[in-house]
Amino acid sequence: MSQENPNIGNLSLNNAPASQNEAADQFVESVSAAIPPGMQRNQQMSADEILKEMNRVPLFMTSLDETDGDGGDNTMLEAIKALAYEGTKAEVAENFRQQGNEAAREKLWKDAREFYTKGIQALRGQVKTTEAEDDPSLKVVELDEEAETKKERSIEEACLSNRALCNLEMKNYGSCNRDCAAALSINPRNLKAWYRAASACLALDKLPEALDACASGLQFDASNAALRSLQTSIEARRDHLAGVEASRREREERVRSEAATLKKALRERGVVVRETASPPEMEDARIQLEDPSEAGSEVRFPVLFLYPLHAQTDFIKAVGEAESVGQHLEYILPLPWDEKGEYRVEDVECYMETSSGGLIKVGKKLPLIKSLASGKVEVVDGLVRVFVVPKARAAEWIEEFKKRRGKQ
């Protein structure tokens, strides 16, 4: 066995002499005294409390915490925010412009717009900047007022033009145009402002204004490719809309002409028509001419066959004026719900209501136009109504019809 080295061993405070325990206590006290008070406080905090505390330090922030944890201001954050407004108006505005440019490169349009707005506000004195004269201990630097003013106008122009881009991308076209107008009031030769104003007008289909903006920009640079390309797009849109408008006017004129021709055709045939406030839904069915432009061509009518004794109907979209109701009853009858076999062509009678509220019998072989042109019938809401009843029950139904109409 190897001999133990008397100089190496384990320190046991419990078994050590009193003098050794006192030395250890002094060592712990000296170490504790060397730890800064802030770190001693952190040793007594939980992990969640430490993370919350770190979030108040701008370098480690994952969310904005503007307090010091005790209801006061976060002095570190306030100091950093104050730096943003340190310097002359031009320097502050330029700082915001650069931040706006960085956000715009990332297509963070809302953030970029905010930075440009702050830059504009700084130039217009709408935010406080820290000037040298506010602090007597700072050295006052004499500025060339003319050069400074020129610099400020240049930065303001850039902020306005760039904010116009943000508004354009965010589809705030009115705001875009206002920013462009403000930028152009500073520098009428700002081609980007003319381009963005034209783009906003195009998006709003304000084509004359869009073309005017392009022309205004091109007068300063006739070969500008972006403006020329946009001008071509605007002209194409103008031509397209002109074509759509011409087609609409042509269609409306055709509808008016066809309506006048149909009205003439019905008048010449002696057909009386009347419209009510609640016409029935007939989809595309309507009174129409075979040739809409020729009053002498065949007129076709939507016809509704009603079976009032059984509360049933059949709808025919187009019945020619020379056709008879019997021709259509030939393929409609017999009816699937007619269990008693009462509805056969030879066993039914047809009626139309007169304009005075009475009834007129319709010959099953008579051309439809003969019944409509009798002077007693009117076509209501473009629909011809024909009542079909079994002969054996016709008198019964007529009496009931008169009672409902108050004829007895």
Side-chain angles (χ1 to χ4, degrees):
M1 295 180 64
S2 61
Q3 185 178 358
E4 292 185 6
N5 188 333
N7 297 319
I8 299 176
N10 295 322
L11 176 63
S12 175
L13 298 178
N14 293 328
N15 299 323
S19 58
Q20 290 181 331
N21 285 338
E22 290 175 1
D25 290 340
Q26 291 174 1
F27 174 74
V28 171
E29 289 176 2
S30 64
V31 170
S32 299
I35 298 176
M39 291 185 65
Q40 289 181 4
R41 177 172 173 268
N42 291 345
Q43 286 182 326
Q44 300 169 1
M45 298 169 65
S46 67
D48 288 341
E49 289 173 331
I50 291 174
L51 288 174
K52 187 175 181 181
E53 189 72 17
M54 289 177 66
N55 193 57
R56 295 191 185 94
V57 179
L59 181 62
F60 301 108
M61 276 186 173
T62 57
S63 61
L64 187 61
D65 187 345
E66 297 189 359
T67 72
D68 62 357
D70 297 317
D73 292 333
N74 188 329
T75 54
M76 286 186 288
L77 182 60
E78 291 301 317
I80 290 176
K81 288 165 65 176
L83 290 175
Y85 298 99
E86 191 76 40
T88 66
K89 288 182 179 180
E91 289 170 345
V92 172
E94 176 62 16
N95 176 45
F96 284 124
R97 187 184 74 84
Q98 292 294 347
Q99 293 181 74
N101 291 348
E102 291 175 10
R105 279 192 286 272
E106 297 296 326
K107 299 188 185 302
L108 302 173
W109 303 116
K110 187 176 181 180
D111 292 343
R113 183 180 64 176
E114 182 66 22
F115 283 125
Y116 294 134
T117 298
K118 286 183 179 295
I120 295 166
Q121 290 173 340
L123 291 168
R124 295 176 179 176
Q126 294 171 328
V127 295
K128 178 176 173 57
T129 60
T130 302
E131 302 288 355
E133 57 268 23
D134 293 336
D135 188 345
S137 66
L138 297 178
K139 181 181 179 181
V140 177
V141 179
E142 294 293 336
L143 297 176
D144 183 334
E145 290 188 8
E146 184 178 347
E148 194 68 12
T149 299
K150 184 177 180 181
K151 185 189 299 184
E152 289 176 4
R153 289 177 62 80
S154 175
I155 295 170
E156 184 176 7
E157 176 195 346
C159 286
L160 286 165
S161 178
N162 290 347
R163 190 171 69 173
L165 172 61
C166 297
N167 281 316
L168 181 63
E169 292 290 343
M170 296 169 70
K171 297 181 171 54
N172 298 327
Y173 302 120
S175 296
C176 174
N177 271 329
R178 285 189 289 273
D179 282 340
C180 288
L184 290 167
S185 68
I186 297 172
N187 177 17
R189 305 177 70 91
N190 189 322
L191 298 185
K192 289 182 179 180
W194 285 119
Y195 179 90
R196 289 159 189 170
S199 298
C201 289
L202 173 59
L204 295 170
D205 269 339
K206 294 183 175 181
L207 303 184
E209 293 88 342
L211 287 172
D212 183 64
C214 283
S216 297
L218 288 171
Q219 71 177 329
F220 299 113
D221 183 1
S223 62
N224 187 275
L227 278 172
R228 285 206 168 278
S229 176
L230 182 58
Q231 185 181 52
T232 300
S233 298
I234 297 168
E235 290 171 345
R237 177 67 176 168
R238 177 198 59 192
D239 295 344
H240 168 73
L241 291 182
V244 170
E245 178 62 18
S247 297
R248 184 189 65 79
R249 287 196 299 268
E250 182 182 343
R251 184 170 59 254
E252 290 178 351
E253 179 57 34
R254 183 174 65 252
V255 169
R256 283 194 294 270
S257 176
E258 290 177 356
T261 303
L262 177 60
K263 185 177 181 180
K264 177 183 177 183
L266 294 174
R267 185 173 61 250
E268 289 176 349
R269 289 164 172 78
V271 178
V272 179
V273 295
R274 177 168 62 88
E275 303 294 331
T276 70
S278 303
E281 176 57 52
M282 296 191 294
E283 297 181 351
D284 59 341
R286 65 186 189 281
I287 303 174
Q288 56 187 323
L289 289 163
E290 182 181 19
D291 180 354
S293 63
E294 179 51 59
S297 63
E298 183 185 43
V299 182
R300 295 169 180 168
F301 299 87
V303 176
L304 181 66
F305 289 98
L306 301 101
Y307 311 100
L309 293 175
H310 291 83
Q312 299 286 342
T313 61
D314 280 310
F315 179 58
I316 312 299
K317 282 189 172 184
V319 175
E321 61 181 318
E323 298 172 5
S324 66
V325 296
Q327 286 177 260
H328 292 276
L329 289 175
E330 287 286 348
Y331 64 80
I332 293 174
L333 304 180
L335 299 165
W337 44 263
D338 179 22
E339 296 178 355
K340 296 181 179 180
E342 297 178 285
Y343 291 87
R344 293 188 294 270
V345 176
E346 63 274 15
D347 295 331
V348 298
E349 291 182 349
C350 300
Y351 297 86
M352 287 183 185
E353 188 173 357
T354 65
S355 55
S356 60
L359 291 169
I360 181 174
K361 188 174 182 179
V362 178
K364 288 180 285 187
K365 296 184 179 180
L366 191 70
L368 181 62
I369 194 65
K370 293 291 185 181
S371 299
L372 298 179
S374 64
K376 298 179 179 181
V377 176
E378 62 182 4
V379 180
V380 180
D381 291 326
L383 180 65
V384 176
R385 295 169 175 83
V386 179
F387 297 98
V388 182
V389 294
K391 286 181 181 179
R393 302 182 63 184
E396 168 196 342
W397 174 73
I398 291 171
E399 288 300 312
E400 183 63 28
F401 181 89
K402 287 180 179 179
K403 288 180 182 179
R404 289 198 307 271
R405 293 293 190 274
K407 296 295 183 180
Q408 286 188 341

